[in-house]
Amino acid sequence: VVREVVDGNMRSVNLAQPHVGRNELCPCGSGDKYNVCCEGNIDWPSILSGVASDDVYVRSLSVRGKNLKFLDFVGSLFQLDRFDKGIPWPAIKKACTPKIVQQIHYMISKLWPDKEDLVHCLEREKRGASGLYVGTYNPEAILRGITRHSLYDESILLVDPFPYVMGVSPELNPLQYPEKYVSNTLMNLWLWIKLQPWIAANIIKFVRTPSDFDYQLFCQSIDVEEKRYQTEPELLALRAQLLDETKNSEVFEQYRQFLFLRVPDSSLRRQIKEMHPHFDVAKVEEYLQGCRRLRDAHPYCTALPEPNGESPKSWSEFIITTTGTNHEVAKVMCALTGSHLVTDSAIRWKEIELDRKHNDLSGDDWEPVAKAFQATEFKFLNNVSLDSALQVRKDERLRDVRQFLRKLWHQSRSDNVMSNANAKLLAEELTDTMRHAEEEWRRIQVSGLATLGREIVASITQTIVSGNILWLGALGCSAAINAGRIRRKEALYANQNYPAAYFARLKRENG
Ligand SMILES: [Zn+2]
């Protein structure tokens, strides 16, 4: 058995013709058995025997298969045997050299070779019922939001925050300038590794977007988005308001601290002197030590190297923030995967609402269901630790909620018109399901199965707790961007319906 590292062989190669049992897990990594997955479509025994090329192998993997392969690769880079609780972050931070940054980005481009492969992968996801998350992308928001949302969806698709090197211009490319991507890489790795158990459990899947592979599509979608902002004063006002709120939020404070700490010690020392002109030398050094401790304790904050006589530009770094993908591309992805949108962002929700309004989509029939959603408080998993949340899910607790919602997604995706009477019945069923779920949740809490905990980077004193879910049924996919670019021959958008969920509307509690 040969293990690869980037330029070697991608697979564990068996020299003997390997046997893949029909009832064994499919080698594509989907989590399904071979006989209900790839058997008859993909000849896994010959791929695993090393006859086929790496390219064929990679194109035969499912989304989860690619995710696990990536994690395997990360593990081998950092010599992690397993992704358990005791991830040695200080060691990872130290080991994350520009060379490793390069290898990681290169590996991603190997695992996701082109758009054709991506579209194929996304379409395979249609078998499940999933939500595509577009929203706040700082790791804490994702960990808290998505893992809670896992109670309501079979699986959640998450756009990989790593940049796709083939689509990045040479002067910004991580392969050319890996030293500028160290913090960014650590931040993304932190998220990936934290979510590893969720990926293994087939709940969370990292995907890429069609616009990664298609610059024109990317530009087109941005144009549509820009136009929307120009013509919709509501959106502009909301953006301004949210920006204001963000400036006063704890997450932003945390981000500022991160930016402050990541500079070289010499620069930090200068800033401390500026902030506290009355400090003597000893006091400045003491303060600096405190900053260093904070930096060391931070999972992905690392100091930039000292400028070493060069211009400050040479030691600058890119910090990339993302919301996954824009609304237009997200819709395409929903159509391909049969997913609905999930967001915690008021602005993304507004975009969904406006889109619906302008395309005159008949979602009004669903109003009773939407009202029932709004009237329900979703208290599950408030302040529960990441491990407990996963355990609750693995133990199939609160399964009725998922089953009901699955039915709801399915119905709202179909072409059948929803009658008002039917919508009322569904609304009643929703209220009922949630009441039972609340009882079950109380029992789980009493039994102590769900331990409290917080997934935090630094010191967040506020906790985000329950909110209600906004819901829009039968949101159509409108062809704002040229569908022919995604998948030729087929009109991708024709009569595609998908619902949209919204799980934020969160309250903050001090605690
Ligand atoms: Zn398979």
PDB file of all heavy atoms in Angstrom, residues 360-374:
ATOM      1  N   ASP A 360     -42.369  37.146  -9.380  1.00  0.00           N
ATOM      2  CA  ASP A 360     -43.789  36.864  -9.244  1.00  0.00           C
ATOM      3  C   ASP A 360     -44.038  35.387  -8.968  1.00  0.00           C
ATOM      4  O   ASP A 360     -44.807  34.736  -9.660  1.00  0.00           O
ATOM      5  CB  ASP A 360     -44.510  37.293 -10.540  1.00  0.00           C
ATOM      6  CG  ASP A 360     -45.978  37.526 -10.251  1.00  0.00           C
ATOM      7  OD1 ASP A 360     -46.302  37.744  -9.077  1.00  0.00           O
ATOM      8  OD2 ASP A 360     -46.778  37.475 -11.195  1.00  0.00           O
ATOM      9  N   LEU A 361     -43.328  34.893  -7.991  1.00  0.00           N
ATOM     10  CA  LEU A 361     -43.447  33.467  -7.704  1.00  0.00           C
ATOM     11  C   LEU A 361     -44.555  33.224  -6.691  1.00  0.00           C
ATOM     12  O   LEU A 361     -44.663  33.914  -5.695  1.00  0.00           O
ATOM     13  CB  LEU A 361     -42.109  32.937  -7.170  1.00  0.00           C
ATOM     14  CG  LEU A 361     -41.007  33.027  -8.217  1.00  0.00           C
ATOM     15  CD1 LEU A 361     -39.655  33.009  -7.547  1.00  0.00           C
ATOM     16  CD2 LEU A 361     -41.135  31.900  -9.216  1.00  0.00           C
ATOM     17  N   SER A 362     -45.327  32.241  -6.996  1.00  0.00           N
ATOM     18  CA  SER A 362     -46.505  32.005  -6.174  1.00  0.00           C
ATOM     19  C   SER A 362     -46.137  31.218  -4.934  1.00  0.00           C
ATOM     20  O   SER A 362     -46.146  30.006  -4.931  1.00  0.00           O
ATOM     21  CB  SER A 362     -47.533  31.227  -6.972  1.00  0.00           C
ATOM     22  OG  SER A 362     -46.902  30.074  -7.478  1.00  0.00           O
ATOM     23  N   GLY A 363     -45.768  31.919  -3.911  1.00  0.00           N
ATOM     24  CA  GLY A 363     -45.461  31.234  -2.671  1.00  0.00           C
ATOM     25  C   GLY A 363     -46.494  31.519  -1.601  1.00  0.00           C
ATOM     26  O   GLY A 363     -46.405  31.016  -0.486  1.00  0.00           O
ATOM     27  N   ASP A 364     -47.484  32.343  -1.971  1.00  0.00           N
ATOM     28  CA  ASP A 364     -48.458  32.770  -0.968  1.00  0.00           C
ATOM     29  C   ASP A 364     -49.267  31.616  -0.395  1.00  0.00           C
ATOM     30  O   ASP A 364     -49.725  31.667   0.735  1.00  0.00           O
ATOM     31  CB  ASP A 364     -49.423  33.802  -1.571  1.00  0.00           C
ATOM     32  CG  ASP A 364     -48.664  35.065  -1.940  1.00  0.00           C
ATOM     33  OD1 ASP A 364     -47.527  35.206  -1.458  1.00  0.00           O
ATOM     34  OD2 ASP A 364     -49.208  35.878  -2.697  1.00  0.00           O
ATOM     35  N   ASP A 365     -49.454  30.605  -1.221  1.00  0.00           N
ATOM     36  CA  ASP A 365     -50.229  29.450  -0.751  1.00  0.00           C
ATOM     37  C   ASP A 365     -49.592  28.822   0.480  1.00  0.00           C
ATOM     38  O   ASP A 365     -50.233  28.121   1.234  1.00  0.00           O
ATOM     39  CB  ASP A 365     -50.304  28.396  -1.846  1.00  0.00           C
ATOM     40  CG  ASP A 365     -50.711  29.016  -3.171  1.00  0.00           C
ATOM     41  OD1 ASP A 365     -51.448  30.007  -3.129  1.00  0.00           O
ATOM     42  OD2 ASP A 365     -50.266  28.520  -4.215  1.00  0.00           O
ATOM     43  N   TRP A 366     -48.328  29.084   0.633  1.00  0.00           N
ATOM     44  CA  TRP A 366     -47.594  28.468   1.739  1.00  0.00           C
ATOM     45  C   TRP A 366     -47.680  29.290   3.021  1.00  0.00           C
ATOM     46  O   TRP A 366     -47.076  28.932   4.024  1.00  0.00           O
ATOM     47  CB  TRP A 366     -46.126  28.305   1.352  1.00  0.00           C
ATOM     48  CG  TRP A 366     -45.905  27.206   0.379  1.00  0.00           C
ATOM     49  CD1 TRP A 366     -45.949  27.280  -0.988  1.00  0.00           C
ATOM     50  CD2 TRP A 366     -45.637  25.838   0.687  1.00  0.00           C
ATOM     51  NE1 TRP A 366     -45.712  26.059  -1.538  1.00  0.00           N
ATOM     52  CE2 TRP A 366     -45.513  25.152  -0.537  1.00  0.00           C
ATOM     53  CE3 TRP A 366     -45.488  25.130   1.884  1.00  0.00           C
ATOM     54  CZ2 TRP A 366     -45.249  23.795  -0.609  1.00  0.00           C
ATOM     55  CZ3 TRP A 366     -45.214  23.774   1.810  1.00  0.00           C
ATOM     56  CH2 TRP A 366     -45.106  23.121   0.588  1.00  0.00           C
ATOM     57  N   GLU A 367     -48.389  30.371   2.966  1.00  0.00           N
ATOM     58  CA  GLU A 367     -48.372  31.293   4.091  1.00  0.00           C
ATOM     59  C   GLU A 367     -48.655  30.648   5.449  1.00  0.00           C
ATOM     60  O   GLU A 367     -47.969  30.966   6.432  1.00  0.00           O
ATOM     61  CB  GLU A 367     -49.321  32.450   3.839  1.00  0.00           C
ATOM     62  CG  GLU A 367     -48.786  33.709   4.489  1.00  0.00           C
ATOM     63  CD  GLU A 367     -49.713  34.881   4.282  1.00  0.00           C
ATOM     64  OE1 GLU A 367     -50.156  35.067   3.140  1.00  0.00           O
ATOM     65  OE2 GLU A 367     -49.977  35.596   5.267  1.00  0.00           O
ATOM     66  N   PRO A 368     -49.652  29.757   5.541  1.00  0.00           N
ATOM     67  CA  PRO A 368     -49.890  29.138   6.862  1.00  0.00           C
ATOM     68  C   PRO A 368     -48.637  28.455   7.421  1.00  0.00           C
ATOM     69  O   PRO A 368     -48.377  28.516   8.626  1.00  0.00           O
ATOM     70  CB  PRO A 368     -50.983  28.104   6.569  1.00  0.00           C
ATOM     71  CG  PRO A 368     -51.677  28.601   5.351  1.00  0.00           C
ATOM     72  CD  PRO A 368     -50.636  29.284   4.534  1.00  0.00           C
ATOM     73  N   VAL A 369     -47.872  27.811   6.526  1.00  0.00           N
ATOM     74  CA  VAL A 369     -46.654  27.119   6.986  1.00  0.00           C
ATOM     75  C   VAL A 369     -45.627  28.149   7.461  1.00  0.00           C
ATOM     76  O   VAL A 369     -45.022  27.992   8.526  1.00  0.00           O
ATOM     77  CB  VAL A 369     -46.064  26.250   5.852  1.00  0.00           C
ATOM     78  CG1 VAL A 369     -44.795  25.551   6.324  1.00  0.00           C
ATOM     79  CG2 VAL A 369     -47.076  25.234   5.366  1.00  0.00           C
ATOM     80  N   ALA A 370     -45.460  29.189   6.664  1.00  0.00           N
ATOM     81  CA  ALA A 370     -44.507  30.237   7.043  1.00  0.00           C
ATOM     82  C   ALA A 370     -44.872  30.829   8.405  1.00  0.00           C
ATOM     83  O   ALA A 370     -44.005  31.074   9.250  1.00  0.00           O
ATOM     84  CB  ALA A 370     -44.478  31.324   5.976  1.00  0.00           C
ATOM     85  N   LYS A 371     -46.170  31.028   8.625  1.00  0.00           N
ATOM     86  CA  LYS A 371     -46.626  31.589   9.908  1.00  0.00           C
ATOM     87  C   LYS A 371     -46.341  30.638  11.051  1.00  0.00           C
ATOM     88  O   LYS A 371     -45.923  31.042  12.140  1.00  0.00           O
ATOM     89  CB  LYS A 371     -48.119  31.895   9.837  1.00  0.00           C
ATOM     90  CG  LYS A 371     -48.393  33.262   9.225  1.00  0.00           C
ATOM     91  CD  LYS A 371     -49.851  33.645   9.398  1.00  0.00           C
ATOM     92  CE  LYS A 371     -50.084  35.050   8.856  1.00  0.00           C
ATOM     93  NZ  LYS A 371     -51.447  35.200   8.329  1.00  0.00           N
ATOM     94  N   ALA A 372     -46.575  29.358  10.803  1.00  0.00           N
ATOM     95  CA  ALA A 372     -46.325  28.353  11.846  1.00  0.00           C
ATOM     96  C   ALA A 372     -44.842  28.337  12.224  1.00  0.00           C
ATOM     97  O   ALA A 372     -44.491  28.200  13.393  1.00  0.00           O
ATOM     98  CB  ALA A 372     -46.768  26.977  11.360  1.00  0.00           C
ATOM     99  N   PHE A 373     -43.998  28.503  11.225  1.00  0.00           N
ATOM    100  CA  PHE A 373     -42.567  28.556  11.499  1.00  0.00           C
ATOM    101  C   PHE A 373     -42.227  29.744  12.391  1.00  0.00           C
ATOM    102  O   PHE A 373     -41.493  29.633  13.364  1.00  0.00           O
ATOM    103  CB  PHE A 373     -41.774  28.689  10.188  1.00  0.00           C
ATOM    104  CG  PHE A 373     -41.295  27.378   9.646  1.00  0.00           C
ATOM    105  CD1 PHE A 373     -41.872  26.820   8.518  1.00  0.00           C
ATOM    106  CD2 PHE A 373     -40.268  26.699  10.260  1.00  0.00           C
ATOM    107  CE1 PHE A 373     -41.439  25.603   8.011  1.00  0.00           C
ATOM    108  CE2 PHE A 373     -39.816  25.482   9.768  1.00  0.00           C
ATOM    109  CZ  PHE A 373     -40.407  24.942   8.639  1.00  0.00           C
ATOM    110  N   GLN A 374     -42.794  30.880  12.025  1.00  0.00           N
ATOM    111  CA  GLN A 374     -42.471  32.096  12.771  1.00  0.00           C
ATOM    112  C   GLN A 374     -42.950  32.030  14.204  1.00  0.00           C
ATOM    113  O   GLN A 374     -42.374  32.659  15.087  1.00  0.00           O
ATOM    114  CB  GLN A 374     -43.089  33.305  12.076  1.00  0.00           C
ATOM    115  CG  GLN A 374     -42.238  33.780  10.929  1.00  0.00           C
ATOM    116  CD  GLN A 374     -42.603  35.178  10.508  1.00  0.00           C
ATOM    117  OE1 GLN A 374     -42.715  36.060  11.350  1.00  0.00           O
ATOM    118  NE2 GLN A 374     -42.800  35.377   9.226  1.00  0.00           N
TER     119      GLN A 374
END
